[in-house]
Amino acid sequence: MDFFSTIGGAIMTPLYYVISAIMIGFHKFFSLFLSPSGGWSWALSIVGLTLVIRMALIPLFVKQIKSQRNMQLLQPKVRELQKKYGHDRQKLGEETMKLYKDAGTNPFASCLPLLLQMPIFFALFRLLDQAAKKGTPHGFLNEKLAEQFGQSEIGGRIPLAESFWGARTWGDDPHALVMVVALFLVLAMTATTFMTQRQLMSKNMPADALTGPYAQQQKMLLYVLPVVFGLGGVAFPIGVLLYWTTSNLWTMCQQFYVIRNNPAPGTPAFAAKAERDRLKARRSGTETIDGGAGDVAVEELRPAQRQQPKRQTKAQRQQSARRDQQLKKQGEES
């Protein structure tokens, strides 16, 4: 146990410093026009922390999207391998991994953003939980800031450190309000998780990728992940739920932008983008002609404008007249 505690401390301690530094920076900014000990200044600091972390993870998100796209496009070849080596599980696994390697795809890359966020998630949980229960400072949080953070309440009635499960006493109105807010955030977290995964499957997966083991795995995650987060969310403090819901909203909007502007070939999103590009070209006066093998010509829809002759100066006109007279005189002499 001491070994695992040491390893856990070695991982969590740097995160405490990073998380607390970002939150204190945002807290000082919001304290310029909000109460420093109020819940809103700390709640907005959590939102700011979420945005900073998600912006830092954008390169990994791009890698995740590329990995998912390559996985989708490789599914027909994977099914061919399954037909060929279905009787030999070891050979099938070796050939499948070789296929992924040759294509430069890592099947585990799609999990990287989620896996990297989990330690941050638990670090924020412990930071808030211990600040509320013991006033324990972590990272750059001193005792005063830890006490403010742990005891902060939104509107003076909704503690950021309270959870749905910890506020089960319905006889007290503030506790009932905490349960309502916590339940709303749990449902929002669950719904955004489902919608993000659903968006990916319905818009950015080709028809032939919706069958087979990979598609079954995606469908299972579509329903399993929201249930897991929903069941676990009742034990999370409101501050942590705020972080996770904000992160999910960022993911959903970021994925919508990527799918809309850079969809995978052969998907509904790809067809929708092609239609938008065609309408845009038509409105701008040009339209791409598809000759069956891609874009082979561009048709100008606007009538060609008549080119006006260039205006000459007086000296140029006189020089041109003298040249014409010389040519005419030479013609008469000949």
Side-chain angles (χ1 to χ4, degrees), residues 209-234:
L210 294 175
T211 59
Y214 180 74
Q216 294 302 320
Q217 178 187 2
Q218 294 295 313
K219 291 178 182 178
M220 182 178 66
L221 292 176
L222 176 65
Y223 296 101
V224 170
L225 284 181
V227 172
V228 171
F229 289 132
L231 294 177
V234 296

Side-chain angles (χ1 to χ4, degrees), residues 285-289 295-301:
T286 61
E287 184 173 2
T288 302
I289 301 175
D295 299 335
V296 297
V298 175
E299 176 185 3
E300 182 67 33
L301 299 181

Side-chain angles (χ1 to χ4, degrees), residues 96-296:
T96 302
M97 294 306 297
K98 183 177 181 300
L99 176 65
Y100 291 152
K101 183 178 180 180
D102 293 341
T105 300
N106 186 349
F108 302 105
S110 59
C111 302
L112 280 177
L114 178 63
L115 292 177
L116 288 179
Q117 280 194 90
M118 293 309 295
I120 300 171
F121 181 80
F122 287 116
L124 178 61
F125 178 90
R126 286 180 58 84
L127 199 100
L128 180 57
D129 186 62
Q130 293 192 9
K133 293 180 178 178
K134 304 176 183 178
T136 304
H138 286 288
F140 292 107
L141 279 176
N142 54 34
E143 292 184 1
K144 180 181 178 181
L145 289 175
E147 183 178 358
Q148 279 187 1
F149 184 41
Q151 303 301 323
S152 59
E153 297 180 349
I154 298 177
R157 302 184 67 186
I158 306 172
L160 288 176
E162 194 62 271
S163 66
F164 177 89
W165 194 252
R168 298 192 304 275
T169 306
W170 284 89
D172 193 353
D173 288 340
H175 285 188
L177 183 59
V178 168
M179 295 187 75
V180 171
V181 173
L183 181 61
F184 171 79
L185 289 175
V186 169
L187 293 177
M189 180 180 66
T190 304
T192 49
T193 302
F194 177 84
M195 292 171 63
T196 301
Q197 190 67 17
R198 179 65 179 171
Q199 181 187 55
L200 178 65
M201 293 184 63
S202 62
K203 298 293 185 180
N204 206 40
M205 289 186 69
D208 57 358
L210 294 175
T211 59
Y214 180 74
Q216 294 302 320
Q217 178 187 2
Q218 294 295 313
K219 291 178 182 178
M220 182 178 66
L221 292 176
L222 176 65
Y223 296 101
V224 170
L225 284 181
V227 172
V228 171
F229 289 132
L231 294 177
V234 296
F236 296 151
I238 287 177
V240 177
L241 291 175
L242 185 62
Y243 167 85
W244 202 252
T245 303
T246 305
S247 180
N248 281 358
L249 288 172
W250 174 284
T251 301
M252 189 166 60
C253 295
Q254 186 174 244
Q255 183 173 271
F256 174 81
Y257 176 83
V258 172
I259 291 176
R260 178 179 173 84
N261 293 281
N262 192 21
T267 63
F270 188 85
K273 185 177 185 301
E275 179 65 17
R276 290 195 305 272
D277 292 343
R278 187 182 66 81
L279 293 175
K280 183 179 179 180
R282 176 175 292 179
R283 285 194 298 267
S284 65
T286 61
E287 184 173 2
T288 302
I289 301 175
D290 188 358
D295 299 335
V296 297

Side-chain angles (χ1 to χ4, degrees), residues 49-63:
L49 168 71
T50 310
L51 298 181
V52 169
I53 292 173
R54 291 315 308 264
M55 285 189 286
L57 291 177
I58 285 178
L60 285 178
F61 178 81
V62 173
K63 187 174 182 179

